[in-house]
Amino acid sequence: MNLRLILTLIIKEAEQVIKDHSILLVLFIAPILYFVMMGSTYIKKDEEKVSVGVVDMDLTKSSKSFLNKVNATQKVDITHVYNSLPEAKIGMSKFEIQGIISIPRDFEKKLKKNESSPIGLILNNTKFLSSNDINKAVNLVTMDYALESRQKYFESKGINPTFAEIKANPITTQVNGVYNPTNNYGNFLLPALLVLILHQTLLIGLSESIASDRKKGLMKVGFETSKNNFLTYITGKLGFHLFLYSAYLLFTFLVAFPYFDLPIKGDFLTLIFVSLVFFMATLLYGWFISTFFSSQAVAMEIMAFTSYPVFLVTGITWSISDMPLFLQFISNLLPLKPFFVFIKRHAIMGVDAYLYSHEVIQLLLLLLLGYVAAFLRFRYLQKKSMQIKPMVSGTLDQNGI
């Protein structure tokens, strides 16, 4: 491996990127633009004060007290009062509200008799996060209100207040949320989105560069510059992208994570090391796949098309074990899958190293697999370029190598 030749290849790659507006846009503008867009979308991380409508058929002190307690919760905002359930459902259809709380007649009377008085809750599940917030808030208030009502009932029977409280609530639960104590969507999704942005822009930019090399016959020039040494060529060709995305990586962890109040609970050097392994594996995979394209437009379209499918099969939005077996197999071949798990366990959860060692080993194996695949592809293209002579001196060979 010749350092001088590697530097020459890195400089050539940098010059190619700067001269090609399409690659320049993907590698320099797209990551920052997407960071700002995605970050702005989830900057609050969670939806607060979800609009709710009420239908109070009881109109008593107890029903008003119950609704006031619901309205005092962080997630719910009672914005509309309706006279009937059909009227409230029309309001939901118009998206005036995301949920309906219905208080039945005789609500207070049944409470005083310690009888069951079910409260109706209708949720718009097209926005499942909002509906979950409403459901959780109403159920918590219901449990507290029911406890208070039962305690007053037992006290009215002459039972000591302390024993009345125990009798009213014989079983208690203590819920402690860990890793994402506020249970917000931003902390769950933002780390994965930031990594996905870097992953996809890196692949798209690299694939355009490789496709441009093949179209212009510069790949053969790169082979010759490296003296047909694979390690020299691949280090020089990918070195610029690795340096650039290492800078993005530091920006992500040192600027974006603190700005969005995302935790990094594990060792920072371990985080950087594993992230570099992930990027190197991604670059080798990207180079191998991109060598099958000779059109920048096709390369960009295919890489962009894979963004959402890749995100889906890596286990962020759905459990991998519940996917079909062939999707599980594909998922385990993607560096994103173990890296997402690593980020969650190391940075977000801060667990001990042995709990994410499997993911680190998987990334190293995928790096080795990517290296072998890229090496074999390099040898194939190298032999092909040596066998086919240019049609005219100074022109491209027929295969665009």
Side-chain angles (χ1 to χ4, degrees), residues 9-18 23-24 26-28 198 201-211 213 233-249 276 279-280 282-284 286-287 290:
L9 289 167
I10 289 175
I11 293 172
K12 284 185 176 182
E13 182 68 11
E15 291 174 347
Q16 178 181 348
V17 169
I18 292 171
I23 303 176
L24 191 67
V26 171
L27 293 181
F28 286 92
L198 295 181
T201 54
L202 172 60
L203 284 181
I204 293 171
L206 177 64
S207 66
E208 285 196 77
S209 175
I210 302 301
D213 279 356
Y233 168 78
I234 207 71
T235 304
K237 182 65 181 177
L238 304 183
F240 169 79
H241 300 271
L242 182 61
F243 290 148
L244 177 62
Y245 275 79
S246 294
Y248 284 145
L249 183 71
L276 288 176
F279 274 133
M280 287 188 288
T282 300
L283 283 166
L284 289 169
W287 184 88
S290 301

